[in-house]
Amino acid sequence: MPETGAIAFRDIPVTADFDAVGRLVRATGFFSDAEAAIAEELVAERLEKGAASDYDFLFAEAAGGLRGYACYGPVPGSVHSFDLYWIVVDPAEQGRGLGRALLAAAEQRIARRGGRRIYADTSSRPQYEPTRRFYEACGYRQEAFLTDFYAPSDGKIIFGKHLG
Amino acid sequence: MPETGAIAFRDIPVTADFDAVGRLVRATGFFSDAEAAIAEELVAERLEKGAASDYDFLFAEAAGGLRGYACYGPVPGSVHSFDLYWIVVDPAEQGRGLGRALLAAAEQRIARRGGRRIYADTSSRPQYEPTRRFYEACGYRQEAFLTDFYAPSDGKIIFGKHLG
């Protein structure tokens, strides 16, 4: 069992997050190598561009290291919509509410910046059933379903939540 | 009246396209300065990254210069979906079928690359009614409507078309 001490949230990425995010995303066994590479790429872009990047992060850390993270950002061209790009929790930490806590903390940050809507894209594949239930439990509702968007029988479901 | 000689299509962007696209987009009177800047930015990114960019272009030219263009590209994470990012026609050239010809030519290129689905995001604002009618006339149908996505009373409509 990993250490389960107090978990702290941190917004500002540091260089070590690139490797930590890659390890965490791969440790879930949920994402493809290509998806893990995209997750790393977003950290790299944020490290390179700083706050000018459209990718914001929230890292959940315990003594043993990174336990989960969320990546979100303002939708270009929208005055008040944000996209949730990634939310990942260490398998050893799942089922303890860390995902909900991360999402709630990201929503607070978005609301403080004037955000009114949050969107999260997910796949319609059976593998994503727990993901869909997670969003619904967190107050998101399905706003669109684009059949076969990612691949045959792999549609895109857009979940949305209204803030405030 | 501008010259209306034969119009030729060209795929490979050249440096002069950056200014020409900016002028064309602004000449329509349809887009905001911020939107025009994004249009230019996509040309710049393509010029910088070449074919490694996710933005592909199709330029429609006559003797007098650029008459219209389309910008499209593969959706990251999808095996067969493409996004249509921009399609713009010189105001003096509108109503003559150039938009349809540009879109049909872009669709052919997408189909040759294995693309099966094309998506175009539009606004629900009244200003975009002609745009929405254009997509419908070209075989696209509304697949999603995200209310207030861009701003209050400015929703996002996602049009989609299945190829082949």
Side-chain angles (χ1 to χ4, degrees):
Chain A
M1 288 287 290
E3 304 163 52
T4 55
I7 286 180
F9 287 169
R10 170 173 58 83
D11 290 89
I12 308 296
V14 296
T15 307
D17 290 324
F18 181 88
D19 288 340
V21 160
R23 273 197 307 272
L24 182 72
V25 167
R26 289 182 173 86
T28 64
F30 193 83
F31 301 102
S32 69
D33 272 352
E35 288 169 325
I38 290 169
E40 292 171 331
E41 205 176 284
L42 301 192
V43 180
E45 182 179 322
R46 170 66 197 221
L47 289 168
E48 190 193 329
K49 295 189 180 174
S53 155
D54 274 341
Y55 300 110
D56 296 293
F57 286 84
L58 188 58
F59 301 97
E61 292 174 308
L66 190 65
R67 293 288 194 263
Y69 85 103
C71 173
Y72 61 95
V75 173
S78 170
V79 301
H80 62 196
S81 289
F82 281 68
D83 271 323
L84 178 71
Y85 298 111
W86 288 86
I87 181 160
V88 181
V89 169
D90 185 326
E93 202 67 48
Q94 288 177 15
R96 302 179 186 183
L98 180 55
R100 276 184 189 238
L102 264 171
L103 187 50
E107 289 170 1
Q108 282 172 7
R109 284 155 171 77
I110 289 167
R112 281 204 297 265
R113 290 168 58 181
R116 300 289 301 278
R117 307 233 164 188
I118 306 179
Y119 296 95
D121 295 350
T122 57
S123 160
S124 66
R125 278 185 289 151
Q127 175 188 354
Y128 281 85
E129 171 65 20
T131 308
R132 296 191 293 270
R133 277 190 283 117
F134 168 74
Y135 286 128
E136 283 163 1
C138 291
Y140 289 69
R141 66 180 192 83
Q142 180 176 320
E143 298 219 4
F145 182 13
L146 306 176
T147 55
D148 300 337
F149 180 91
Y150 296 112
S153 301
D154 186 1
K156 173 157 93 172
I157 295 177
I158 303 175
F159 281 94
K161 183 175 185 173
H162 302 186
L163 298 180
Chain B
M1 289 287 288
E3 303 163 53
T4 55
I7 286 180
F9 286 168
R10 169 172 58 83
D11 289 271
I12 308 294
V14 295
T15 308
D17 290 324
F18 181 88
D19 288 341
V21 160
R23 273 198 306 273
L24 182 71
V25 168
R26 290 182 171 85
T28 63
F30 193 82
F31 300 101
S32 69
D33 272 350
E35 288 169 326
I38 291 169
E40 291 170 332
E41 204 176 284
L42 301 192
V43 180
E45 181 179 323
R46 170 67 197 219
L47 288 168
E48 189 193 328
K49 296 190 180 173
S53 156
D54 273 341
Y55 299 110
D56 296 293
F57 286 84
L58 189 57
F59 300 97
E61 293 175 307
L66 190 66
R67 292 288 194 263
Y69 86 103
C71 173
Y72 61 95
V75 173
S78 170
V79 301
H80 62 197
S81 289
F82 281 68
D83 271 323
L84 179 71
Y85 298 111
W86 287 86
I87 181 159
V88 181
V89 170
D90 185 325
E93 202 68 48
Q94 288 176 15
R96 299 177 187 182
L98 179 55
R100 275 184 190 241
L102 264 172
L103 187 50
E107 289 169 0
Q108 282 171 8
R109 284 157 171 77
I110 289 168
R112 279 204 299 264
R113 290 168 59 181
R116 300 288 301 278
R117 307 232 164 187
I118 306 179
Y119 296 95
D121 295 350
T122 57
S123 160
S124 65
R125 279 186 288 152
Q127 174 188 352
Y128 280 84
E129 171 64 24
T131 308
R132 296 191 294 269
R133 276 190 282 115
F134 168 74
Y135 286 128
E136 283 163 1
C138 291
Y140 290 70
R141 69 180 188 83
Q142 180 176 321
E143 299 217 5
F145 181 14
L146 306 176
T147 55
D148 301 338
F149 180 90
Y150 296 113
S153 301
D154 186 2
K156 173 156 93 172
I157 296 176
I158 304 175
F159 281 94
K161 183 174 185 173
H162 303 188
L163 298 179

